[in-house]
Amino acid sequence: MSASLAFVFPGQGSQSLGMLAELGAEHPVVLETFKEASDALGYDLWALTQQGPEEQLNQTDKTQPAILTASIALWRLWLAQGGERPAYVAGHSLGEYSALVAAGSLSLGDAVKLVETRGKLMQEAVPAGQGAMAAILGLEDADVLAACAEAGQGEVVSAVNFNSPGQVVIAGAKAAVERAIEGCKARGAKRAMPLPVSVPSHCELMRPAAERFAESVAAINWQAPQIPVVQNVSAAVPADLETLKRDLLEQLYKPVRWVESVQTLAAKGATNLVECGPGKVLAGLNKRCAEGVSTSNLNTPDAFAAARAALA
């Protein structure tokens, strides 16, 4: 184990058609991991990620298992190639489930079924077209919070992802989000743009989904994580398994405190981060969250080889 190493797992938005194709062709462990997930889900997840249709891959109940499985395939490949085990793991939103699988807290089969259910419940909580999310760039957190408070007018709108300094995502009822976008622009935001998502994640509208999801979380045989997990809701390592499960449920309707999570890792000495998943969304965010943090990626054969070399 390396004390300075932490693995971070991405959330929704990292998926793409054909992801991990080259690594899958070179390393049997990638296809074996997808087969394990497919057996649990009852459909061919690898075929969906490689051939689409893309609209189906982008449905949240398909996206979540796909990203989680891709992330765990890369995690297993890293260990199989003799990569060091990290001192900490963390994940952005959905990525927290990938982190928990890597930490040995739940099995891949349980995890993919759990996040499939999570996706369905999120979609059912707010009918399509009624919720919205938007990215606000170049504005202080306090100004975003003020714009949301002003825009609410009895409807839900709140800051839900603190992704990096000057990048905050808001979510809520569609009209309230539109008012908040205007409020953020009026306060000097560089950009305030709606995101192409079907579900307003991490806001109060998701509380009913969390209440229904509690049953699924309770039904799983959880283990204490073998690697400490920094959670989204607290930006801290939970004291025990009950706290971990509670925070996992609250994560559905409370903000993702990513900036503070990366700062927590850095404060614990973990400044070499590895983004373990398709894409490289987190690498761009992490460097702005804390001083002296660097992030390697594993999403292509070249990136994987470079990360192995850099961290050997």
Side-chain angles (χ1 to χ4, degrees), residues 210-270:
E211 287 164 2
R212 293 175 64 197
F213 191 44
E215 195 182 321
S216 302
V217 168
I220 281 184
N221 179 26
W222 294 85
Q223 306 296 323
Q226 290 154 18
I227 304 169
V229 181
V230 175
Q231 287 193 276
N232 287 186
V233 165
S234 59
V237 176
D240 52 41
L241 209 45
E242 287 314 304
T243 307
L244 185 151
K245 289 190 277 187
R246 186 199 67 207
D247 285 0
L248 207 53
L249 286 173
E250 289 189 358
Q251 191 226 64
L252 272 171
Y253 59 89
K254 287 190 173 177
V256 173
R257 294 163 60 185
W258 190 250
V259 175
E260 292 168 272
S261 298
V262 175
Q263 289 169 350
T264 297
L265 293 171
K268 291 177 181 292

Side-chain angles (χ1 to χ4, degrees), residues 32 106 141 169 195 230 236 300:
E32 286 159 13
L106 76 167
D141 291 356
V169 173
L195 294 172
V230 175
T300 66

Side-chain angles (χ1 to χ4, degrees), residues 69-87:
T69 304
S71 299
I72 295 307
L74 291 170
W75 167 253
R76 290 176 174 179
L77 179 58
W78 175 264
L79 296 179
Q81 302 269 315
E84 284 220 72
R85 292 178 80 83

Side-chain angles (χ1 to χ4, degrees), residues 80-97:
Q81 302 269 315
E84 284 220 72
R85 292 178 80 83
Y88 295 93
V89 291
H92 188 289
S93 185
L94 160 73
E96 195 163 284
Y97 292 82

